[in-house]
Amino acid sequence: MPSISTKAFATQSATSPLGPFSIQRREPTPSDVAIDILYCGVCHSDIHFARNEWGMTTYPVVPGHEILGRVTKVGNKVKKFKTGDLAAVGCLVDSCRTCDHCKKNLEQFCLNTPTFTYSGQDKHSGGVTYGGYSENIVVDEAFVLKAPSNLNPAAAAPLLCAGITTYSPLRHWKVGKGQKVGVVGLGGLGHMGVKFAHAFGAHTVLFTTSPSKIADGKRLGADEVIISKNEDEMKKHAGSFDFILDTVSADHDINALLSMLKLDGTLVLVGAPPTPLAVNAMGLFFPRKHLAGSLIGGLKETQEMLDFCGKHNVVCDIEIIKMQQINEAYERMLKSDVKYRFVIDMASLKS
Ligand code: NAP
Ligand code: ZN
Ligand code: ZN
């Protein structure tokens, strides 16, 4: 099969830095869209994967699943896209499309394992999938999304993971007016959680460990900000939340967060710390509480989220970096030092 030689950035092991790497993309099949990547967001999952913190990485890994670019070629059966269109790809590039979950537009929960954008099993090559830290990507049109043309493309790229991962649970649990809603952690996901909860009309409260983020939290849409390490501040809000979205990437005290919920309140985990969190069962009993999880979103909901963002002018707050700055960017993210998503300008990969 002919293929396209493509520049990328990869890491070869859990302890190596990322560096230049060459990959092959397939020539578009009749249902494929070839995309020249303009911008790719940097998700904390990229770090977990690059360093094999979840124990599921296949090396070499080319991370990146917040992809926005321009269509350069389409297969002859493609209907939704034409050359020159803006197009986006998130965490999924395929799924079985026939199981119960796929039929319900929940491809992220495909019972036959969804094909993740990187470190997944590539059905075409038989090898692994390579993500967005690369010049281009070739994806079946069913897994390519339309990016709103009125949004800054660099600031829209992280909507493909940070956006949908926070939008989906807020919609699923019907967060809105009359509710007190917490978002834990002001990073890539958290800052979008604050924006969406505010846009949906909830009384939005940010929990942060970083006092330096109080003003930004309010600017982004939080009605109140709680410094989660301050016990007195936490006590004042105990038992008062309808819903809390936890985006924290490292070990932390979720029992303290559970104590913030009121009767039948729900704490949803989207952050995925590499080590298991310790849950005190007693903290869930009184008064009755729910602890749940959520994973990105299906294709239909991701398009709905992008359209919502286009209509309401919602984008991410970003810091643009060059591909060559990625290792430094990872170190800054690990120190919670990013405002609030790094986005790679892929033109830097060509230079
Ligand atoms: P990020 O930008 O690095 O933000 C994480 C935030 O968590 C930090 O900014 C910090 O906020 C807070 N934090 C970090 N360490 C902490 C600690 N030890 N104790 C308390 N708070 C801490 O990461 P992200 O890209 O938003 O990703 C967050 C997590 O979600 C990652 O684990 C990622 O893998 C996961 N994720 C899950 C899904 C899904 O579908 N479920 C999708 C994407 C990402 P403050 O400074 O405000 O405290
Ligand atoms: Zn992600
Ligand atoms: Zn399926």
Side-chain angles (χ1 to χ4, degrees), residues 4-10 19-25 35-37 62-63 130-137 323-324 346-351:
I4 310 157
S5 192
T6 299
K7 284 187 194 171
F9 251 57
F21 184 61
S22 180
I23 58 172
Q24 299 296 316
R25 297 292 191 194
I35 300 163
D36 192 7
I37 302 176
V62 175
Y130 293 124
Y133 296 3
S134 58
E135 287 177 296
N136 60 62
I137 192 163
M323 188 71 257
Q324 296 76 5
M346 268 322 147
S348 60
L349 193 52
K350 297 187 198 299
S351 62

Side-chain angles (χ1 to χ4, degrees), residues 144-177:
V144 182
L145 297 137
K146 290 210 174 261
S149 56
N150 59 316
L151 301 179
N152 167 1
L159 295 174
L160 276 300
C161 178
I164 186 59
T165 302
T166 49
Y167 181 94
S168 179
L170 293 173
R171 284 301 199 207
H172 180 78
W173 275 276
K174 301 188 169 48
V175 160
K177 283 201 176 59

Side-chain angles (χ1 to χ4, degrees), residues 95-103 106-107 109-114:
S95 72
C96 84
R97 310 182 201 192
T98 56
C99 73
D100 282 353
H101 293 176
C102 283
K103 281 191 204 147
L106 295 168
E107 298 87 355
F109 306 125
C110 174
L111 293 164
N112 297 305
T113 312

